[in-house]
Amino acid sequence: MSLAAASADTGDTAWLLAATALVLLMTPGLALFYGGMVRTKSVLNMLMMSFVSIALVTVVWLAAGFSLTFGEDAAGGLIGGLEHIGMSGLGPDSVQGTVPTLLFATFQLTFAIITAALVSGAVADRAKFGAWLVFVPVWALLVYVPVAHWVWGPGGWILEKLGALDFAGGLPVEIVSGASGLALCLVLGPRMGFKKDSMRPHNLPMVMLGAGLLWFGWFGFNAGSALGANGLAAAAFLNTLAAGCTGLLGWLCVEQKRDGHPTTLGAASGAVAGLVAITPSCGSVSLLGALVIGLTAGAVCSYAVSWKFKLNYDDSLDVVGVHLVGGVIGTLLIGVFAARSMTGGAEGLLYGGGLGQLGKQLLAVVVVAVYAFAVTYGIGKLIDVTMGFRASEEQEQTGLDLTVHAETAYDHGVLGHGAPVSSSVVPHAQKVTPQA
């Protein structure tokens, strides 16, 4: 992508300004979605892990992340250069395509932010907040930035050499967050009481509100990736809506058949699964493809979230089951449903394109997943060895809200396992010295 000076289009700029705000809103939406899914004793900690990601990733992105992602390729498609370190050389008159470069950089920043925040769901209830503060900036530079350059950066090997397609982030956002989440939950180990205690969401209305904000913001995420107010943005917008709907319905159908009860948590999770899957494909497939992709993701992810109990990895809030699995589905099915009318060239298997595009998508999925898992595991292990990544048993048992942040989400209500708050419990808990 060239950063050469040109004239920005006011319509495209206005749309991308709105889309950037929508994508940023997704991180507070995710905070509510995750916050409602945990127990009462760690709600604020869960919210904080998302909100602090906004600050940490922003600083890293402006310092070096944008340049390393979208600077001119400096290593055979692996990483960008440092010509824009500290956002140097960029001003109000710099243009990327038809929008100001500073706006383009901010839009891309919001993707990096929510990807980091997504990872937190895999280690909910048991990660040290101080360790999270160290992990996020290191992870953003070593995991997110290289993969984003491979997929979207000038000279990136996945984009320009392999020819795999990813319109809005199936590889650098969904698969990276899912594979990274899996690595971290293996580093930290399962929560106390995993597979024994009830760990049901404490506030389903909060979960539904968070899912609604995510869905709202996702229109900016996907349609904004057209980088203009045009027909491609409109098609991506409609595909996003359609896949979210069929994802919701697919999950509920599985719940009804398997459990006999369609649930609000299932509806929220199904919609998110459909939105995850359409993210890489919304600019490559027809409306029919979007409907099928969403339905497939909703149904498959509803089963995938239970794999953790069989395979004994404690992915607290189903980052693996929804984002990794949904991202893989959406990225691979581009090789089946890609339509020339959307891509301008590449076609999927269903439209006579053969197995070539499917093979490219598969290779990209495998490489990105393995890279994200391996590097995240290494970062997590290093932090665990040097400063400890997991909270103490006392902190986990009492709850991270009190022990880390010296706050509680609810003054009157229930504690983590559903026991009523009593005067004999709260004063003792409040004496715990806050620790990170």
Side-chain angles (χ1 to χ4, degrees):
M1 298 183 183
S2 173
L3 299 179
S7 177
D9 180 271
T10 55
D12 291 347
T13 300
W15 163 234
L16 199 62
L17 282 166
T20 301
L22 286 170
V23 183
L24 182 60
L25 179 65
M26 291 177 72
T27 299
L30 179 71
L32 291 174
F33 184 69
Y34 278 173
M37 290 176 70
V38 298
R39 293 166 289 177
T40 56
K41 61 184 181 179
S42 295
V43 181
L44 299 179
N45 179 259
M46 199 70 257
L47 298 176
M48 280 286 285
M49 291 179 81
S50 286
F51 272 85
V52 79
S53 296
I54 299 175
L56 293 170
V57 176
T58 296
V59 172
V60 169
W61 186 257
L62 297 179
F66 174 73
S67 187
L68 291 171
T69 303
F70 291 101
E72 291 301 319
D73 185 74
L78 297 178
I79 198 70
L82 293 174
E83 62 267 31
H84 298 297
I85 192 166
M87 305 302 287
S88 62
L90 302 176
D93 296 328
S94 302
V95 175
Q96 166 75 29
T98 60
V99 299
T101 304
L102 293 177
L103 173 58
F104 173 77
T106 308
F107 178 67
Q108 295 295 342
L109 163 62
T110 60
F111 283 63
I113 288 169
I114 195 168
T115 307
L118 282 168
V119 178
S120 67
V123 292
D125 290 332
R126 63 195 188 280
K128 280 186 178 180
F129 189 67
W132 181 251
L133 296 180
V134 174
F135 170 80
V136 169
V138 175
W139 176 90
L141 281 175
L142 297 185
V143 179
Y144 179 83
V145 164
V147 176
H149 179 75
W150 301 349
V151 177
W152 294 322
W157 74 269
I158 287 179
L159 172 70
E160 297 190 11
K161 295 180 173 62
L162 178 62
L165 301 177
D166 185 347
F167 190 74
L171 292 163
V173 177
E174 309 300 352
I175 292 175
V176 161
S177 64
S180 297
L182 177 59
L184 269 197
C185 70
L186 293 178
V187 170
L188 269 66
R191 290 166 289 179
M192 296 171 61
F194 177 59
K195 296 199 292 187
K196 297 177 182 178
D197 297 339
S198 174
M199 297 182 180
R200 292 176 296 179
H202 88 281
N203 192 327
L204 286 170
M206 184 186 291
V207 173
M208 294 296 282
L209 175 60
L213 289 173
L214 283 169
W215 200 336
F216 180 60
W218 229 299
F219 291 117
F221 201 92
N222 288 356
S225 293
L227 301 179
N230 50 40
L232 182 57
F237 195 106
L238 178 57
N239 283 346
T240 300
L241 175 61
C245 291
T246 53
L248 184 154
L249 295 173
W251 194 298
L252 290 186
C253 286
V254 170
E255 280 194 328
Q256 179 64 47
K257 181 179 180 181
R258 182 185 59 199
D259 309 322
H261 303 285
T263 67
T264 53
L265 180 61
S269 300
V272 170
L275 294 165
V276 165
I278 200 60
T279 293
S281 52
C282 60
S284 304
V285 304
S286 65
L287 180 58
L288 173 63
L291 291 167
V292 174
I293 287 170
L295 185 66
T296 303
V300 173
C301 290
S302 66
Y303 288 106
V305 296
S306 66
W307 294 348
K308 62 185 179 184
F309 299 110
K310 299 176 182 178
L311 300 177
N312 202 39
Y313 62 89
D314 186 10
D315 171 24
S316 305
L317 305 183
D318 301 317
V319 182
V320 177
V322 173
H323 292 275
L324 178 57
V325 174
V328 169
I329 290 171
T331 304
L332 288 181
L333 288 183
I334 292 173
V336 177
F337 293 104
R340 186 185 297 272
S341 60
M342 293 290 290
T343 66
E347 290 182 311
L349 184 62
L350 186 65
Y351 294 92
L355 294 172
Q357 192 63 46
L358 183 60
K360 295 175 182 178
Q361 301 300 128
L362 177 60
L363 178 59
V365 164
V366 171
V367 173
V368 168
V370 170
Y371 176 82
F373 177 88
V375 178
T376 303
Y377 191 87
I379 297 170
K381 271 294 186 184
L382 182 60
I383 292 174
D384 194 41
V385 169
T386 54
M387 63 180 293
F389 210 137
R390 178 156 184 162
S392 69
E393 289 188 10
E394 180 185 4
Q395 288 178 308
E396 188 175 343
Q397 185 66 40
T398 303
L400 299 178
D401 288 358
L402 274 174
T403 59
V404 176
H405 307 292
E407 299 173 302
T408 57
Y410 307 101
D411 289 333
H412 304 286
V414 296
L415 290 175
H417 295 287
V421 176
S422 70
S423 59
S424 63
V425 174
V426 174
H428 171 73
Q430 290 175 337
K431 293 178 183 177
V432 177
T433 303
Q435 303 174 35

